[in-house]
């Protein structure tokens, strides 16, 4: 389906939506809204608009080609489907078929949302949806309500409908997302706040970090761990015995964890990750991706001096091939560079937290998962 033109959005301001030469895409929420608009229009008129145009929260008006359409229930129900186009973003839902089935309800029923196959259901508190609700986020719900009302006003309907959103192979796609850890079971979430996917913005990952903090707090967790990967996550569990819902798959987004925890504090935050990545945090970088920050070996050399390295060793650290090479050179001479990187990263994290009531400790590991540096818990002044 990714090679099919079906579901590609055109028209309106779509041609203007460019970012550093990369093509923008459309969220699952925008696709579900377009499919819902087409399906409800078909219920009221007997015809599916193709392409179907919607208005996004910031005023853009993309048009979506239909990938599938079907009248059902003697004309009181219709299904329309859109292939999600994520543009040039490496989105796991790119190419997914988003279906919306709209059924007429008795007057006064309002708009009711249902999770069809491939769309998850909320099973834990802490998310912006109640337990038992389909995982269709608030902004997509609002978009669908508004478009249903517009279609009803244009074609003489009441606007009382059930909207069932489904995603082909959604349960399989969800295995590549945070949904299971967040307690969203059975499929993916229907997401989006603007309707637009900005390439490499990683907004979905950052949103998952925030929801992870929310779920942990709602579960009464007072200690969470932001981990750069699965190996550091295992180490954090081994050291602190944390349950799954206290683990945040931080990846490269240290800043996203720290800024959200600053606004939504927990008693204790463990930051765990590879030595090289956490050396970037120690140096003041909040995005640890190799394309956006580099290991500063001059900075590591200065830390080595503070840890007792003589000038020949400090010079060797500055000239090291990698951060791990620098670490190993120091370890061979008994210089605790790993501990100093951990302590400096912890202090940098505390600076970003700006006095929030959060105690922070840091664990640095090597590629094998061996702990090579630790910083003991430290909180804001007086804590």
């Amino acid at each position: 389906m990714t090679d099919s033109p079906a579901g590609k959005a055109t028209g309106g301001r779509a041609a203007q939506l460019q970012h550093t030469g990369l093509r923008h895409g459309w969220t699952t929420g925008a696709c579900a809204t377009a499919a819902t608009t087409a399906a409800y229009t078909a219920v009221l008129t007997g015809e599916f608009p193709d392409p179907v145009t919607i208005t996004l929260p910031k005023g853009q008006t993309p048009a979506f080609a239909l990938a599938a359409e079907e009248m059902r229930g003697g004309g009181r129900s219709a299904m329309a489907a859109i292939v999600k186009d994520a543009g040039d973003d490496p989105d796991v839902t790119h190419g997914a078929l988003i279906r919306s089935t709209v059924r007429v309800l008795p007057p006064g029923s309002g708009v009711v949302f249902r999770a069809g196959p491939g769309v998850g259901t909320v099973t834990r508190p802490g998310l912006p949806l109640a337990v038992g609700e389909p995982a269709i986020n608030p902004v997509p719900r609002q978009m669908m309500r508004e478009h249903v009302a517009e279609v009803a006003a244009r074609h003489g309907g009441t606007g009382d409908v059930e909207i069932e959103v489904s995603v082909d192979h959604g349960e399989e796609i969800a295995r590549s997302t945070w949904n299971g850890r967040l307690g969203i079971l059975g499929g993916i979430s229907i997401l989006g706040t603007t309707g637009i996917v900005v390439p490499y913005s990683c907004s979905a990952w950052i949103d998952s970090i925030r929801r992870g903090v929310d779920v942990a707090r709602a579960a009464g967790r007072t200690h969470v761990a932001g981990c750069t990967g699965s190996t550091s996550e295992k180490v954090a569990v081994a050291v602190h015995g944390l349950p799954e819902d206290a683990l945040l798959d931080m990846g490269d987004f240290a800043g996203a964890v720290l800024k959200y925890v600053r606004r939504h504090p927990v008693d204790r935050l463990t930051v765990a990750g590879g030595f090289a990545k956490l050396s970037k945090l120690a140096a003041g970088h909040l995005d640890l991706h190799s394309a956006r920050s580099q290991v500063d070996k001059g900075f590591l050399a200065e830390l080595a001096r503070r840890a007792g390295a003589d000038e020949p060793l400090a010079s060797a650290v500055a000239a090291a091939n990698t951060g791990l090479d620098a670490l190993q050179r120091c370890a061979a001479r008994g210089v605790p560079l790993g501990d100093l990187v951990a302590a400096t990263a912890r202090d940098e994290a505390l600076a970003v937290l700006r006095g929030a009531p959060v105690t922070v400790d840091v664990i640095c590991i090597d590629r094998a998962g061996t702990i090579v540096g630790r910083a003991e818990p430290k909180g804001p002044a007086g804590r």
Side-chain angles (χ1 to χ4, degrees):
M1 289 180 182
T2 56
D3 295 327
S4 168
K8 303 292 185 182
T10 59
R13 293 173 57 192
Q16 302 175 30
L17 296 175
Q18 300 296 316
H19 177 73
T20 62
L22 298 175
R23 192 168 58 86
H24 286 61
W26 312 100
T27 63
T28 48
C31 294
T33 299
T36 297
T37 302
Y40 190 38
T41 300
V43 168
L44 296 182
T45 69
E47 298 290 337
F48 289 88
D50 188 9
V52 56
T53 300
I54 63 170
T55 302
L56 300 180
K58 292 188 177 181
Q60 299 93 338
T61 54
F64 296 78
L66 299 187
E69 60 186 58
E70 182 183 350
M71 295 297 299
R72 298 175 177 174
R76 295 185 60 79
S77 175
M79 183 281 297
I82 305 285
V83 175
K84 180 182 170 177
D85 176 12
D88 290 325
D89 193 67
D91 189 318
V92 296
T93 59
H94 178 68
L97 190 66
I98 313 295
R99 301 177 184 265
S100 178
T101 301
V102 177
R103 303 179 181 90
V104 173
L105 295 178
S109 300
V111 176
V112 178
F113 293 95
R114 302 289 183 210
V119 170
T121 298
V122 177
T123 66
R124 293 180 190 166
L127 297 171
L129 299 166
V131 171
E133 283 291 309
I136 303 170
N137 271 20
V139 172
R141 288 182 183 228
Q142 184 60 28
M143 289 171 61
M144 283 184 261
R145 288 191 186 99
E146 290 173 355
H147 283 76
V148 161
E150 291 170 5
V151 171
R154 187 179 307 121
H155 299 295
T158 67
D160 300 289
V161 296
E162 177 189 89
I163 301 171
E164 179 185 289
V165 181
S166 60
V167 179
D168 289 19
H169 310 294
E171 191 164 4
E172 178 182 342
I173 295 169
R175 297 191 188 106
S176 299
T177 74
W178 274 40
N179 275 18
R181 180 171 292 179
L182 295 175
I184 298 171
L185 303 182
I188 70 167
S189 301
I190 304 301
L191 302 173
T193 55
T194 65
I196 298 170
V197 175
V198 178
Y200 295 92
S201 67
C202 299
S203 57
W205 194 323
I206 291 171
D207 185 66
S208 292
I209 289 171
R210 295 168 178 165
R211 300 294 78 79
V213 173
D214 293 343
V215 167
R217 284 164 48 92
R221 307 302 179 197
T222 59
H223 184 180
V224 301
C227 306
T228 60
S230 59
T231 303
S232 57
E233 192 173 87
K234 291 175 184 175
V235 172
V237 169
V239 170
H240 293 301
L242 295 173
E244 184 182 59
D245 60 5
L247 302 174
L248 309 173
D249 186 1
M250 178 175 75
D252 294 314
F253 302 106
V257 171
L258 293 169
K259 291 173 185 177
Y260 199 72
V261 169
R262 182 173 71 207
R263 299 191 300 272
H264 305 274
V266 292
D267 288 350
R268 184 167 174 180
L269 169 66
T270 295
V271 177
F275 170 81
K277 284 190 181 292
L278 293 191
S279 78
K280 297 179 188 181
L281 176 59
H285 297 288
L286 299 183
D287 186 336
L288 310 182
H289 193 279
S290 59
R292 295 180 287 275
S293 60
Q294 302 296 319
V295 174
D296 185 341
K297 291 184 284 291
F299 172 74
L300 291 180
E302 183 55 36
L303 289 184
R305 290 185 185 96
R306 287 166 50 187
D310 57 22
E311 197 54 38
L313 177 56
S315 297
V317 168
N321 290 327
T322 63
L324 184 59
D325 181 23
L327 176 69
Q328 291 171 339
R329 288 173 183 269
C330 287
R333 297 279 299 275
V335 174
L337 181 61
D339 289 339
L340 192 51
V341 163
T344 308
R346 177 198 60 197
D347 293 345
E348 184 65 28
L350 288 169
V352 176
L353 288 168
R354 297 180 188 172
V358 181
T359 297
V360 179
D361 69 287
V362 173
I363 303 172
C364 294
I365 63 171
D366 64 14
R367 290 174 182 171
T370 301
I371 296 175
V372 296
R374 289 191 68 175
E376 292 304 310
K378 182 179 178 181
R383 182 182 170 92

